[in-house]
């Protein structure tokens, strides 16, 4: 009988659900709306129905399967308490007890766990991806924000309260750009997708670069993919955006290396699709900012998780990690 787990990724608009086998293959997947009504009990009821339906469909499409558990990735997810706490982009207010509510609906299933989405990605990389066999590594997720998951001696680092690992809020530039959290100069303000857009518009103004294709877009219209396309076409502004983003990211990663001495740092998210445009300046900057004892020891690698399924695959890996306890 094939053992599988269920991965649930709770996003601000949609919740993705998948049945995933031990090799990280998604056997069946679906999604439901993440509601705006704020009623966590109704949402968990709808989610439980969707999970049961997906399990039934997976059993119809595959050999006999055994569900070993459910892993949930969510913003502001606290692994210790199984709660989502004050997530700004969800309608559920305050502290909501997701794991407890799911265990009530799936009695007898002990391997039910929750963490934030970056931690889930790190566990997914360890169970299914490029970090297999690694005991010490870091995952940086680059997107609307910058998240991170820290793995030390084979275990995710949660800290005393469940919220350790916020490398995206390392201060790189004192009194620098305003970060989404309200503080100034954080790595996230420079290396997230919105941060790259801000860099692009600063450079357009600095050089009065009306001939750049990026100048044809408003801030809301511009995307990191457009910056990538312009860079590939040789646009100097776009190329400098990647150079500056990599400079800041490498500086932040160097701080992380000094704290943890990982074997590797994995990068995941939209900007990493740019390949060496982002990887080379990031590596160069990291090496520049490292103490001599760390130089030429740390790999910076792209995630091996399938981008389209990474969220649910990463979440599903939580259940396997729970079984190891």
């Amino acid at each position: 009988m094939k053992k599988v787990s269920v991965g649930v990724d709770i996003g601000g608009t949609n919740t993705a659900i998948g049945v995933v086998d031990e090799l990280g293959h998604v056997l069946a997947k679906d999604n439901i709306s993440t509601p705006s009504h704020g009623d966590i009990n109704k949402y968990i009821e709808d989610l439980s129905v969707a999970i049961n339906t997906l399990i039934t469909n997976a059993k119809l499409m595959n050999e006999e399967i055994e569900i070993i558990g459910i892993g949930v990735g969510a913003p502001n997810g606290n692994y210790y308490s199984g709660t989502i706490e004050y997530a700004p982009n969800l309608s559920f207010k305050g502290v909501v007890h997701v794991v407890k509510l799911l265990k009530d609906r799936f009695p007898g299933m002990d391997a039910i766990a929750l963490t934030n989405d970056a931690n889930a990605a790190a566990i997914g990389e360890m169970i299914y991806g490029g970090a297999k066999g690694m005991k010490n590594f870091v995952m940086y997720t680059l997107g609307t924000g910058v998240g991170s998951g820290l793995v030390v001696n084979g275990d995710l680092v949660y800290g005393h309260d469940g919220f350790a690992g916020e490398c995206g809020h390392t201060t790189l530039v004192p009194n620098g750009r305003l970060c989404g959290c309200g503080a100034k100069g954080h790595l996230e303000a420079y290396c997230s997708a919105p941060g790259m857009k801000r860099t692009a518009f600063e450079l357009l103004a600095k050089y009065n670069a009306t001939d750049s294709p990026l100048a044809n877009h408003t801030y809301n219209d511009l995307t990191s993919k457009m910056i990538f396309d312009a860079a590939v076409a040789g646009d100097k502004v776009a190329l400098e955006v990647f150079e500056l983003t990599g400079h800041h990211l490498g500086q932040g990663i160097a701080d992380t290396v000094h704290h943890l001495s990982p074997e590797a740092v994995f990068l995941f998210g939209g900007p990493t699709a740019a390949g060496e445009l982002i990887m080379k300046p990031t590596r160069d900057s990291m090496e520049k900012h490292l103490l001599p004892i760390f130089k030429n020891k740390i790999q910076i690698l792209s995630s091996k998780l399938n981008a389209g399924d990474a969220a649910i695959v990463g979440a599903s890996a939580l259940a396997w990690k729970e079984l190891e306890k």
Side-chain angles (χ1 to χ4, degrees):
M1 183 174 290
K2 180 182 287 189
K3 292 185 177 182
V4 301
S5 61
V6 175
V8 178
D9 177 62
I10 302 176
T13 304
N14 292 300
T15 296
I17 312 161
V19 176
V20 184
D21 70 15
E22 293 180 84
L23 298 177
H25 299 139
V26 179
L27 305 183
K29 60 182 177 179
D30 197 4
N31 64 76
I32 61 173
S33 295
T34 304
S36 59
H37 54 59
D39 186 339
I40 186 64
N41 290 294
K42 185 177 187 311
Y43 170 68
I44 293 295
E45 181 180 337
D46 293 343
L47 177 61
S48 300
V49 169
I51 289 172
N52 279 319
T53 299
L54 196 65
I55 290 172
T56 299
N57 292 340
K59 287 180 177 178
L60 290 173
M61 292 186 292
N62 299 273
E63 307 164 10
E64 284 192 69
I65 57 176
E66 176 190 353
I67 308 296
I68 60 93
I70 300 170
V72 182
N76 288 28
N78 189 323
Y79 171 77
Y80 288 153
S81 59
T83 55
I84 296 174
E85 303 185 16
Y86 307 99
N89 62 336
L90 299 180
S91 64
F92 314 118
K93 303 304 178 186
V95 178
V96 291
H97 295 268
V98 175
V99 169
K100 180 182 182 303
L101 291 170
L102 283 174
K103 284 186 174 180
D104 289 344
R105 285 163 176 77
F106 294 91
M109 190 180 292
D110 294 326
I112 299 179
L114 169 146
T115 190
N116 73 40
D117 38 9
N119 285 339
I123 293 175
E125 200 72 48
M126 179 166 53
I127 301 295
Y128 306 121
K132 274 186 178 180
M134 289 187 187
K135 295 293 186 181
N136 295 274
F137 72 93
V138 173
M139 167 76 89
Y140 268 73
T141 59
L142 309 176
T144 305
V146 176
S148 56
L150 315 178
V151 175
V152 174
N153 296 332
D155 290 315
L156 208 67
V157 176
Y158 288 109
H160 85 280
D161 62 354
F163 290 113
E166 290 290 351
C167 296
H169 296 283
T170 301
T171 300
L172 294 185
V173 183
N175 295 313
R177 289 179 185 169
L178 186 67
C179 183
C181 69
K184 289 184 177 181
H186 286 181
L187 184 150
E188 182 174 294
Y190 295 87
C191 301
S192 62
M196 292 180 69
K197 293 203 298 182
R198 290 167 76 175
T199 300
F201 276 89
E202 287 174 2
L203 293 173
L204 287 170
K206 176 182 177 180
Y207 297 130
N208 191 26
T210 55
D211 58 337
S212 169
L214 304 184
N216 299 325
H217 300 281
T218 66
Y219 179 84
N220 289 335
D221 177 45
L222 187 66
T223 65
S224 54
K225 174 66 164 58
M226 293 174 184
I227 299 172
F228 168 70
D229 290 340
V232 169
D235 179 64
K236 292 182 179 179
V237 169
L239 287 168
E240 191 167 344
V241 169
F242 280 105
E243 283 292 329
L244 290 173
T245 302
H247 169 79
H248 289 300
L249 184 57
Q251 182 183 350
I253 289 173
D255 285 346
T256 302
V257 169
H258 290 150
H259 298 157
L260 298 175
S261 187
E263 177 179 345
V265 177
F266 289 86
L267 302 183
F268 174 82
T272 63
E276 285 301 296
L277 281 173
I278 187 70
M279 299 295 276
K280 185 180 186 304
T282 300
R283 290 192 196 101
D284 290 347
S285 178
M286 179 190 73
E287 293 293 343
K288 175 184 174 182
H289 288 98
L290 284 176
L291 284 169
I293 55 172
F294 293 109
K295 288 184 182 295
N296 302 311
K297 288 182 179 179
I298 316 301
Q299 302 177 81
I300 297 182
L301 304 169
S302 294
S303 169
K304 295 296 188 291
L305 297 178
N306 183 306
D309 294 327
I312 53 177
V313 167
S316 75
L318 274 171
W320 296 108
K321 193 66 178 168
E322 284 298 290
L323 285 184
E324 293 178 4
K325 295 185 175 181

